[in-house]
Amino acid sequence: MALTLSQIQGSRGGKYGELVLEKELDREQQQDIELLLTATDGGIPQRSGTVVIHVTVLDANDNVPVFSQSVYKVSLPENASVGTLVVTVSATDADEGANGEVTYEFGHTSDELNELFMLDHRTGAITLGGQIDFEKETSYELSIQGKDGSGLVSFANVIVEIVDINDNAPVIFLQSFHNPIPENVVPGTEVGIINVQDKDSGQNRQARCSIQENVPFKLNPSVKNYYSIMTTKELDREKQTDYNITITATDEGFPPLSSSKTVHLYVSDVNDNPPVFQQQFYNAYIPENNKPGTPVCSVLAKDPDWRQNGTVLYALLPSGVSGFPVSSYLSINAETGVIQALKSFDYEQLRSFKVQVVARDNGSPPLSSNVTVSVFITDENDNSPQILYPTPEVKSSLTEIVPRAAVSGSLVSKVIAVDVDAGQNAWLSYEILRSTDPGLFTIGLHNGEIKTKRDITESDSMKQNLIVLVKDNGQPSRSSTCSVYLLISDNVSEVPELKDVSFETNISELTSYLIIALVSVSTFFLTFIVVALVVTFCRKRKHRLLFDGAVAIPSTSFPPNYAEVEGAGTLRSSYNYDTYLTTGSRTSDFKFVGAYGENTLSTNHTLGRCPTDNFGQHAVIVSTSTDSNELRILGKSV
């Protein structure tokens, strides 16, 4: 222990103790000393007292600053910028307070070094204050002193080695260049020659060249530091008209330096593309009854070639339409591709035709391509409905007998009409314009079926005349009218002779017999088959209209010159009626209504097929029995 306790006898007999320092204290090893002093008396029992003595050791400047390294060695590249940190020196002092604060200064250095390097007095950071060059000086040695607050000093040396760097980039020189270059050159064609130079020496002078990967070109080494620019594949001006070729030269120094040069290469055009139409085929629609010169459609073909190689002219390829050259129907503008009609079209005579259009460029040799244009004639509502039944030409056959026992909703007749137009222009609707008794009969809006609106009474007039309007759905709408003559009678015997009942019509009895004979012979075989089928179906389901009186079956004379066509009729399904004559009938007479289906058409017109079936067809099959004087009309509704 550095302190000892000495007991001293006083002059009056008292004792006291003194703390004596036996050796030097070192604050850096122990800053505080604590002692426990105990005093005891000599009595019995013995008593004592204690006191704590705290000794604080004060600092003295007995330590010099100590550097972390006696010699600092650093490397600094010659291209280091001003303000670059070279090295940071560090010294510590074990003293405290001002005695332990260290500041830094340069030792014995030249003025040049004092300008080239800068020293932070508090942190010891040495930074670059000017430009250095390896070719001028390879290393520098600096003396640094560390001083504490009381003036104690220590020294360290800093050796700065200048590192040579590759500070000269290669330079690219374009010796020759072919511009523009045709797009049809073969791969491997030389485009230009470049030369690469570098001012550095040794390894830093060696350079290698490269070209970007997204261009169809490459570099081939030639003689020393010379390279050839060559194509790697066929060029296509229509995909890319020019190229920016970037060449990069990099030396082998560390770090390597590089430089780039971009050359702009144009590709000249060759007529290697035919015109291409914007559509694979064209559909043109023109309404019938058009004026000559009406535009039909416009075709467009593009040629990606340049100038005259990309100039497109249009023409119609020779072909025939219905035995006539297509040039008599259409013409085309050679420059714009607009196709015009040369005549007025009629949908009922010509519905569609096709024509080939050729597009040819103006290159050498010229290239061409074709496209098909389908011309569709659209229907206009230019035909009125044709009434097939009742036929105005044979008025005596239009008389129909309705029994007085007919109840409300009984079918008494049907108006059958067709329209040679198509689409909604052929959609027909029926209405009664005028009738003898407006409240007695009604007609189906879309099927033309005439039914009783109420039960027939004795007070109703025997002769009934209906004026029926048949109207299509075109814009504007067209219509036709017909007269339906009805005779209300309970029994045929009540009527003196049908031929004597006149609605301004008259049919000879001989003609009626001829019709009956013709119908009987023609339908005998069909009647046999259909009767068998009807009997089978009637067991499951059978709808009949029973009457007590005699019924005369309406007859008509339909035009025989109707032929099958594709299309657009207004008769779409069949209707069937079961009619019975009472046993009290004096005659067993009948008339036959022929079947008119969807494939019947006047020879004067052409009908197109309608996509939906809105109207029906009538098929009536008759059989007679002489024993019971019964007339039966059989059929099946589909």
Side-chain angles (χ1 to χ4, degrees):
M1 181 177 289
L3 296 175
T4 60
L5 178 67
S6 300
Q7 295 186 10
I8 300 175
Q9 186 71 36
S11 57
R12 295 183 180 183
K15 295 181 180 180
Y16 61 91
E18 291 184 348
L19 289 176
V20 180
L21 182 65
E22 291 187 347
K23 62 180 181 179
E24 293 182 352
L25 299 178
D26 190 350
R27 189 199 64 83
E28 285 71 36
Q29 294 182 1
Q30 188 174 6
Q31 294 184 1
D32 298 302
I33 301 174
E34 288 189 358
L35 302 174
L36 180 63
L37 178 62
T38 302
T40 60
D41 59 15
I44 298 175
Q46 189 178 40
R47 295 183 179 276
S48 63
T50 60
V51 64
V52 177
I53 301 174
H54 185 81
V55 180
T56 300
V57 182
L58 301 177
D59 182 52
N61 190 24
D62 56 349
N63 292 283
V64 298
V66 178
F67 282 93
S68 59
Q69 297 177 219
S70 60
V71 178
Y72 293 86
K73 291 184 177 182
V74 294
S75 298
L76 189 66
E78 62 174 326
N79 65 340
S81 59
V82 175
T84 300
L85 180 64
V86 178
V87 69
T88 298
V89 296
S90 177
T92 59
D93 194 319
D95 295 325
E96 70 175 356
N99 296 331
E101 294 180 357
V102 181
T103 59
Y104 305 94
E105 295 179 358
F106 281 122
H108 300 288
T109 56
S110 63
D111 294 338
E112 180 183 0
L113 290 180
N114 287 332
E115 293 179 359
L116 191 59
F117 297 96
M118 301 180 67
L119 175 63
D120 190 310
H121 298 289
R122 297 185 62 82
T123 64
I126 300 174
T127 56
L128 187 62
Q131 296 292 335
I132 56 177
D133 190 355
F134 176 81
E135 287 73 26
K136 183 179 180 181
E137 193 70 41
T138 60
S139 65
Y140 296 94
E141 185 172 354
L142 305 175
S143 178
I144 308 297
Q145 66 177 12
K147 183 187 296 185
D148 63 16
S150 298
L152 296 179
V153 178
S154 60
F155 294 90
N157 291 331
V158 176
I159 299 175
V160 181
E161 295 181 351
I162 308 302
V163 179
D164 185 29
I165 63 167
N166 184 29
D167 54 354
N168 292 287
V171 180
I172 301 172
F173 297 94
L174 188 62
Q175 300 296 323
S176 64
F177 194 62
H178 303 289
N179 196 13
I181 184 171
E183 64 175 324
N184 62 344
V185 295
V186 297
T189 301
E190 184 178 87
V191 177
I193 298 175
I194 62 170
N195 174 245
V196 181
Q197 297 180 5
D198 196 322
K199 294 181 180 180
D200 292 328
S201 59
Q203 192 72 13
N204 294 335
R205 189 184 182 123
Q206 302 299 322
R208 57 184 183 275
C209 290
S210 62
I211 197 169
Q212 78 263 35
E213 297 181 355
N214 59 344
V215 293
F217 301 96
K218 67 177 181 178
L219 290 175
N220 278 350
S222 182
V223 295
K224 185 178 181 181
N225 295 330
Y226 282 86
Y227 297 86
S228 296
I229 305 174
M230 307 184 71
T231 60
T232 59
K233 63 179 182 180
E234 292 182 355
L235 306 180
D236 190 350
R237 191 204 67 85
E238 287 68 45
K239 293 182 178 179
Q240 190 162 353
T241 59
D242 56 349
Y243 294 91
N244 287 322
I245 306 174
T246 301
I247 303 168
T248 303
T250 306
D251 61 26
E252 297 183 1
F254 185 82
L257 293 180
S258 62
S259 62
S260 300
K261 187 177 185 65
T262 301
V263 292
H264 196 72
L265 176 66
Y266 292 94
V267 180
S268 60
D269 184 53
V270 175
N271 190 28
D272 56 350
N273 290 280
V276 177
F277 285 93
Q278 286 190 332
Q279 299 177 209
Q280 293 182 351
F281 57 88
Y282 289 83
N283 291 331
Y285 298 88
I286 182 171
E288 64 175 331
N289 306 318
N290 60 289
K291 293 182 179 180
T294 301
V296 176
C297 72
S298 178
V299 297
L300 180 62
K302 291 187 176 181
D303 193 322
D305 291 326
W306 195 46
R307 290 186 177 177
Q308 67 177 13
N309 293 335
T311 303
V312 180
L313 299 177
Y314 304 92
L316 297 177
L317 287 179
S319 62
V321 178
S322 299
F324 296 94
V326 71
S327 58
S328 64
Y329 288 88
L330 301 174
S331 67
I332 187 170
N333 188 303
E335 296 181 354
T336 64
V338 176
I339 300 176
Q340 292 179 320
L342 296 180
K343 60 181 296 184
S344 179
F345 295 105
D346 185 357
Y347 174 82
E348 285 71 38
Q349 294 182 1
L350 179 64
R351 296 191 178 185
S352 65
F353 61 93
K354 294 183 179 181
V355 61
Q356 291 283 328
V357 177
V358 59
R360 183 177 291 105
D361 63 26
N362 204 26
S364 180
L367 300 177
S368 63
S369 60
N370 299 341
V371 72
T372 299
V373 178
S374 298
V375 180
F376 297 93
I377 314 301
T378 59
D379 183 51
E380 294 289 320
N381 192 28
D382 57 348
N383 291 281
S384 299
Q386 294 182 1
I387 299 176
L388 304 181
Y389 178 82
T391 306
E393 289 79 2
V394 189
K395 294 189 177 181
S396 63
S397 65
L398 304 182
T399 302
E400 304 202 16
I401 297 178
V402 180
R404 288 189 179 275
V407 296
S408 175
S410 298
L411 179 65
V412 298
S413 184
K414 176 178 175 66
V415 177
I416 304 173
V418 296
D419 195 321
V420 295
D421 292 321
Q424 67 175 6
N425 295 331
W427 297 351
L428 302 182
S429 60
Y430 303 80
E431 64 176 294
I432 298 176
L433 286 182
R434 188 171 65 252
S435 65
T436 303
D437 188 348
L440 184 56
F441 297 101
T442 183
I443 189 168
L445 179 62
H446 299 298
N447 55 25
E449 292 181 349
I450 300 174
K451 296 182 180 180
T452 56
K453 197 172 182 180
R454 58 177 174 78
D455 295 347
I456 297 177
T457 63
E458 294 292 337
S459 60
D460 291 324
S461 175
M462 177 179 295
K463 298 180 181 180
Q464 297 287 333
N465 184 13
L466 307 180
I467 306 299
V468 178
L469 173 70
V470 183
K471 182 172 60 175
D472 61 26
N473 198 38
Q475 294 294 332
S477 176
R478 292 178 177 269
S479 62
S480 300
T481 60
C482 66
S483 296
V484 178
Y485 299 97
L486 304 176
L487 183 64
I488 299 177
S489 176
D490 285 334
N491 199 308
V492 177
S493 61
E494 296 179 1
V495 184
E497 287 294 339
L498 286 178
K499 62 182 180 179
D500 295 333
V501 181
S502 175
F503 292 96
E504 299 178 356
T505 65
N506 192 12
I507 292 182
S508 68
E509 185 176 356
L510 178 59
T511 303
S512 299
Y513 291 155
L514 291 176
I515 293 175
I516 293 173
L518 179 60
V519 171
S520 299
V521 172
S522 301
T523 60
F524 178 77
F525 182 73
L526 280 177
T527 301
F528 177 76
I529 296 176
V530 174
V531 167
L533 293 175
V534 169
V535 170
T536 303
F537 283 103
C538 284
R539 292 177 180 176
K540 300 179 180 179
R541 183 178 180 182
K542 188 172 182 181
H543 299 284
R544 294 183 177 179
L545 292 175
L546 301 177
F547 304 102
D548 293 332
V551 179
I553 308 304
S555 64
T556 184
S557 176
F558 289 104
N561 52 351
Y562 275 73
E564 180 175 353
V565 294
E566 235 189 281
T570 53
L571 307 180
R572 289 300 185 210
S573 55
S574 6
Y575 295 84
N576 303 279
Y577 312 100
D578 292 340
T579 307
Y580 298 86
L581 291 177
T582 62
T583 56
S585 300
R586 291 180 297 175
T587 59
S588 296
D589 195 3
F590 65 91
K591 298 180 185 294
F592 175 81
V593 180
Y596 285 81
E598 63 176 353
N599 294 328
T600 59
L601 174 69
S602 173
T603 54
N604 297 326
H605 299 279
T606 302
L607 292 180
R609 184 176 296 277
C610 184
T612 58
D613 295 339
N614 299 320
F615 302 98
Q617 64 182 1
H618 281 240
V620 181
I621 300 172
V622 299
S623 65
T624 62
S625 174
T626 56
D627 295 334
S628 61
N629 291 329
E630 178 179 281
L631 170 63
R632 175 175 296 178
I633 302 175
L634 303 174
K636 185 172 171 69
S637 219
V638 291

